[in-house]
Amino acid sequence: MVDPRFYRRGDPLSLGDIAKSIGANLANPETSDRSIKDVASLDVAGSGDLSLFYHRRHVHVFAETRAGAVITTDVLSRHARPGMCLLFASDPRLAFAQAGYMFYRPPVLEPAIDPQAHVDSTAEVGPGCRIEAGAIIGPAAQIGPHCHIAGHAVIAEGVVLGAGCRIGANSSISHALIGARVEIGSCCTIGGPGFGFVTGPRGLLRVPQLGRVVIEDDVSIDANCAVDRGTDGDTVIGAGTAIDNLVQIAHNVRVGRHCAIAGQSGIAGSTVIGHGVVIGGQVAISDHLTIGGGARIAFKSAVIRDVEPGMSVGGYPAMPVRLWHRQTAGLARLFGRRGPTAATRLSALDMAET
Amino acid sequence: MVDPRFYRRGDPLSLGDIAKSIGANLANPETSDRSIKDVASLDVAGSGDLSLFYHRRHVHVFAETRAGAVITTDVLSRHARPGMCLLFASDPRLAFAQAGYMFYRPPVLEPAIDPQAHVDSTAEVGPGCRIEAGAIIGPAAQIGPHCHIAGHAVIAEGVVLGAGCRIGANSSISHALIGARVEIGSCCTIGGPGFGFVTGPRGLLRVPQLGRVVIEDDVSIDANCAVDRGTDGDTVIGAGTAIDNLVQIAHNVRVGRHCAIAGQSGIAGSTVIGHGVVIGGQVAISDHLTIGGGARIAFKSAVIRDVEPGMSVGGYPAMPVRLWHRQTAGLARLFGRRGPTAATRLSALDMAET
Amino acid sequence: MVDPRFYRRGDPLSLGDIAKSIGANLANPETSDRSIKDVASLDVAGSGDLSLFYHRRHVHVFAETRAGAVITTDVLSRHARPGMCLLFASDPRLAFAQAGYMFYRPPVLEPAIDPQAHVDSTAEVGPGCRIEAGAIIGPAAQIGPHCHIAGHAVIAEGVVLGAGCRIGANSSISHALIGARVEIGSCCTIGGPGFGFVTGPRGLLRVPQLGRVVIEDDVSIDANCAVDRGTDGDTVIGAGTAIDNLVQIAHNVRVGRHCAIAGQSGIAGSTVIGHGVVIGGQVAISDHLTIGGGARIAFKSAVIRDVEPGMSVGGYPAMPVRLWHRQTAGLARLFGRRGPTAATRLSALDMAET
């Protein structure tokens, strides 16, 4: 299934070793020595593949799979054919993802500084780094150990990267302190000036932008994002937060830990996002708001007021999801034949895999 | 009109030769030898220019144009002044575009691999390619004949490009199989990891992203777009599809052939778009949906349900356009003085020229 | 407060000199010799710092600040503690911004063309320019004096830059005439082909895009933006206009002078924007519209009709803001318990500082 031009598969593993590593239990302990050589989805898996069955909507595919072993739950296992080789896990999707990484480890790049990279003589580069052709490391920048800086990435003066960071091609990072294991995709701009202006005698005058971007450990920021630095303090992305493509984080924003922000969303200046907030795609959150921890924002919402912790909101302007559904359904009754039911689809956050 | 600093005009052509090439008919065969040296819009065209009259709203400009010849239709020609030199075409805009390319051919770049380009020794580069300074071609990449790779573009390991592709400056392409004559603008990220996560013991864990991007022949993707690779299968862009700037195509999405997707739209994970679908600007389409062939999505809509083939939808959430108009007009009657008529403006797709 | 890794502070200044430069008046002329070494916000300022009090909502912080001097207005000064050192300005925020630039001047970069830059032999580079590693300056390009071209920026053939421009890393500029003191962020694409197609025998055919981008003096365009060139005329950005991150300006658009366009907004083809228009974040403006001078567009609006000069509009579709409020409130009464009040938040434009 997986194209060997792009991915290197590791050696076969015994089912017992896999189960142990991912915290799953073998339905039949006698299958422990079975050799597994790959992971694959139910429809294409063969006798050497480990697969995943986590939701009843896939029951028909499960019934006919040729997978050598399947991770599922005890409850779902009643749909199994007799003799199927099963592993039980409390969260089968997590277990399957972990198994995937046993076969497809992120490539270990040979440490090297390409002779065509531009590393300032005052920059510090830790051991084990790989710095590709065209990458620019500015004066006094500090690159932690085992970082990967891809081609033409620009790490400006004074920027600090923790251990094990990966910076994508053609990205530009300035005015930033970045923790460990942070992954930034291609064509991102981290640390640009915030969009804050006053009206002066000759038109708009940008307020001096003298702050920083602080990105905590284990954050991932995907492609083509823009994160502005603070005005006089910091723009902060909390540990473990994941940000999709083409997202805008404005100056002075503080995003909490373990948030998920889907593609093309934007958070305006000085807004504070709590921990564990889930934000759908193309959401706009206005400036100077507070979004409580654990809140969920439906895709394409326009948030113009504070959101309380744990609340789900949606709509334009955003309101509690139930209220939004009531309005949408009411409108359809008033003016339509058959109105849409406005299923809010928080799943639009696209946290799930096919 | 056209600035010679940026465009090279070809030699003058006879009107007869132009008509023949673009499939138009001369209203008066005696004008066949007239020499045409350029294309220009009605208001600025002079006696050596070929121009275009395709819509009645330009009738006044047409009446006063000094163009040496005008492409139009038989029906519209009744607005002509006596003695005007006309060409008839079934689709005057197509004919005029084709004529434009007769004078302004895409520049033929001298084949060369810039000494400052970084081409891996295991990459294959076909004949006739031009690879600019700073471009990086990774191990085992295959670049078809007559491709143009602009400055600092990064073509990662194993990527395949067909014949005649053009890749813009500072773009990054990985995990991708790309057909012939594909054009990708500047600052695009093709093949980044999809935004799929499970919750693990230490926070969000990205599901292994082991798929590819497959871009079929004759696709154009403009500037600053992000197309994620599939999770374990492919993200696909069908042949002849055109994608505007700043568009997000999430993992596992399948876009059909000959679609048009306007700027800043986003398609969430695993959604399937049929052939010939037209999507306006800033549209959001949720995940795991099916949009039928020939559907039209009005600009800035939020699509949260499947759309049937051929249907026109708009709104937030999106609904059949007529229903949306009825709701918008009804709301205006209920609460407004004079409501907006919500002219849906599928023309917002900006497929038309001024 | 300000991190010396990223910013160089100038020498201390006397309060009198500062007041004179920024057009403020000392409340007590005897404080003229007081030495000020930095600017800081009220909550963190110390005895050597100049601070700002411009709005009553910060009155409690003002009451307890330890700042050495504070810029405010005569009216607000009644909240001062006895003995506080004050400066009066008609626009305290402007005065404070100007004072900030007295301490933090944009870094004066030593003129140099990096030996790793690629400057075509037919390009003209004015005196005092700094051109970083990897930058590409194409044939016949003209770079005015004192420009800064950051790493890997690509300035294509024939492009003209006026004096004192700053072009961010990894940006790509083609088919463009750019005035003086223009600042363009990282990862921008200026001059890409417009999204205009006709349907031909083999699918979509792009209309020849033979125009330019004209950017007038003192424009700022932040990170990851895309500005397409005109079809046969110009796409124009008027003098002094400020554009935030991830904005799309389509072909043939004309933006007036001194406009502000917040992040992720998009303006479709051939639309004309007057002078002094303020556009919030994630706004979509349809094609071929006219937005009158001084209009204000609320964040995330969908503009599908012309907007009269000076008007404030919002909503989906956009309508006069009052009408939008009435509809939103009316819907809430009809279908909700407590509806949102839909405070439009033109402040969402994020023109203000925290």
Side-chain angles (χ1 to χ4, degrees), chain A residues 115-199:
Chain A
Q116 308 277 354
H118 314 279
V119 180
D120 190 273
S121 60
T122 61
E124 293 175 25
V125 176
C129 285
R130 185 179 178 92
I131 300 182
E132 305 280 3
I136 298 177
I137 314 292
Q142 299 176 40
I143 311 296
H146 301 288
C147 287
H148 179 215
I149 314 294
H152 307 310
V154 177
I155 314 294
E157 181 174 359
V159 167
V160 177
L161 294 189
C165 290
R166 313 212 309 183
I167 309 300
N170 296 315
S171 279
S172 170
I173 302 181
S174 68
H175 308 91
L177 306 182
I178 294 179
R181 298 172 302 280
V182 169
E183 301 194 2
I184 294 176
S186 298
C187 298
C188 286
T189 302
I190 311 293
F195 195 67
F197 290 86
V198 289
T199 301

Side-chain angles (χ1 to χ4, degrees), chain C residues 322-342:
Chain C
R322 287 193 181 187
L323 194 57
W324 181 39
H325 286 191
R326 205 183 309 158
Q327 284 195 8
T328 309
L331 269 177
R333 278 196 312 274
L334 267 183
F335 300 117
R337 278 167 303 225
R338 288 179 309 128
T341 58

Side-chain angles (χ1 to χ4, degrees), chain A residues 28-45:
Chain A
N28 176 357
E30 290 180 10
T31 60
S32 176
D33 290 339
R34 187 167 292 199
S35 173
I36 297 293
K37 66 173 196 358
D38 206 347
V39 288
S41 55
L42 287 170
D43 52 341
V44 297

Side-chain angles (χ1 to χ4, degrees), chain B residues 109-115 117 125 128-132 147-149:
Chain B
L109 298 165
E110 208 177 326
I113 297 180
D114 191 286
V125 177
C129 284
R130 185 177 178 94
I131 300 182
E132 305 280 3
C147 287
H148 179 214
I149 314 294

Side-chain angles (χ1 to χ4, degrees), chain B residues 117-139:
Chain B
H118 314 278
V119 180
D120 191 272
S121 60
T122 60
E124 293 175 25
V125 177
C129 284
R130 185 177 178 94
I131 300 182
E132 305 280 3
I136 298 177
I137 314 291

Side-chain angles (χ1 to χ4, degrees), chain A residues 22-25 71-73 88-95:
Chain A
I22 66 176
N25 296 313
I71 303 176
T72 188
T73 62
F88 297 145
S90 54
D91 182 346
R93 294 175 66 232
L94 171 61

